Amino acid sequence: MAETRRCPVPGCNATVAPGKLMCLRCWRQVPRAIQSRVYATWRKYSGDPTLSALEAYEAARNAAISSVVEQRP
Ligand SMILES: [Zn+2]
């Protein structure tokens, strides 16, 4: 059975595809610079799963979520 995840953006509640951080609609609102930071920190953590790499990824992930929340009317 496939795991169903919900978008972490507050108030969104859309279904998120496996392996994705958030739903596509929210992800499109994330600025390019933060998107690349999420990819880069995730790649680093995958290859080198240290606590500091995880913290860097989580910081990028939180920045992505905040960037979507800040664009809300
Ligand atoms: Zn969403």
mmCIF file of all heavy atoms in Angstrom, residues 7 9 12-14 22-23 25-26, ligand 1:
data_model
loop_
_atom_site.group_PDB
_atom_site.id
_atom_site.type_symbol
_atom_site.label_atom_id
_atom_site.label_comp_id
_atom_site.label_asym_id
_atom_site.label_seq_id
_atom_site.Cartn_x
_atom_site.Cartn_y
_atom_site.Cartn_z
ATOM 1 N N CYS A 7 0.601 17.625 2.201
ATOM 2 C CA CYS A 7 1.486 18.767 2.015
ATOM 3 C C CYS A 7 1.754 19.439 3.370
ATOM 4 O O CYS A 7 0.821 19.687 4.135
ATOM 5 C CB CYS A 7 0.821 19.738 1.050
ATOM 6 S SG CYS A 7 1.813 21.165 0.682
ATOM 7 N N VAL A 9 2.621 22.421 3.988
ATOM 8 C CA VAL A 9 2.292 23.847 4.025
ATOM 9 C C VAL A 9 0.966 24.029 4.780
ATOM 10 O O VAL A 9 -0.024 23.396 4.426
ATOM 11 C CB VAL A 9 2.197 24.430 2.602
ATOM 12 C CG1 VAL A 9 1.730 25.876 2.632
ATOM 13 C CG2 VAL A 9 3.537 24.320 1.899
ATOM 14 N N CYS A 12 -2.849 23.795 3.373
ATOM 15 C CA CYS A 12 -2.890 23.245 2.015
ATOM 16 C C CYS A 12 -3.604 21.898 2.004
ATOM 17 O O CYS A 12 -4.637 21.752 1.370
ATOM 18 C CB CYS A 12 -1.486 23.120 1.446
ATOM 19 S SG CYS A 12 -1.471 22.385 -0.198
ATOM 20 N N ASN A 13 -3.026 20.911 2.699
ATOM 21 C CA ASN A 13 -3.654 19.600 2.844
ATOM 22 C C ASN A 13 -3.741 18.772 1.562
ATOM 23 O O ASN A 13 -4.453 17.780 1.513
ATOM 24 C CB ASN A 13 -5.051 19.757 3.461
ATOM 25 C CG ASN A 13 -5.412 18.535 4.303
ATOM 26 O OD1 ASN A 13 -4.531 17.959 4.951
ATOM 27 N ND2 ASN A 13 -6.655 18.145 4.301
ATOM 28 N N ALA A 14 -3.042 19.168 0.499
ATOM 29 C CA ALA A 14 -3.039 18.369 -0.726
ATOM 30 C C ALA A 14 -2.196 17.112 -0.519
ATOM 31 O O ALA A 14 -1.349 17.060 0.363
ATOM 32 C CB ALA A 14 -2.478 19.187 -1.880
ATOM 33 N N MET A 22 6.699 18.687 -0.942
ATOM 34 C CA MET A 22 5.365 19.295 -0.805
ATOM 35 C C MET A 22 4.610 19.078 -2.113
ATOM 36 O O MET A 22 5.182 18.560 -3.077
ATOM 37 C CB MET A 22 5.485 20.780 -0.468
ATOM 38 C CG MET A 22 6.306 21.582 -1.454
ATOM 39 S SD MET A 22 6.371 23.356 -1.115
ATOM 40 C CE MET A 22 7.296 23.440 0.397
ATOM 41 N N CYS A 23 3.331 19.476 -2.157
ATOM 42 C CA CYS A 23 2.576 19.270 -3.391
ATOM 43 C C CYS A 23 3.136 20.177 -4.483
ATOM 44 O O CYS A 23 3.772 21.198 -4.204
ATOM 45 C CB CYS A 23 1.092 19.522 -3.156
ATOM 46 S SG CYS A 23 0.639 21.247 -2.959
ATOM 47 N N ARG A 25 1.750 22.231 -6.529
ATOM 48 C CA ARG A 25 1.204 23.588 -6.559
ATOM 49 C C ARG A 25 1.986 24.507 -5.616
ATOM 50 O O ARG A 25 2.322 25.635 -5.970
ATOM 51 C CB ARG A 25 -0.272 23.545 -6.147
ATOM 52 C CG ARG A 25 -1.085 24.733 -6.581
ATOM 53 C CD ARG A 25 -2.560 24.486 -6.309
ATOM 54 N NE ARG A 25 -2.807 24.328 -4.879
ATOM 55 C CZ ARG A 25 -3.135 25.337 -4.072
ATOM 56 N NH1 ARG A 25 -3.279 26.545 -4.555
ATOM 57 N NH2 ARG A 25 -3.347 25.130 -2.796
ATOM 58 N N CYS A 26 2.283 24.019 -4.410
ATOM 59 C CA CYS A 26 3.062 24.818 -3.453
ATOM 60 C C CYS A 26 4.515 24.925 -3.910
ATOM 61 O O CYS A 26 5.118 25.989 -3.827
ATOM 62 C CB CYS A 26 3.008 24.191 -2.059
ATOM 63 S SG CYS A 26 1.400 24.346 -1.269
HETATM 64 ZN ZN ZN B 1 0.612 22.226 -0.916
#
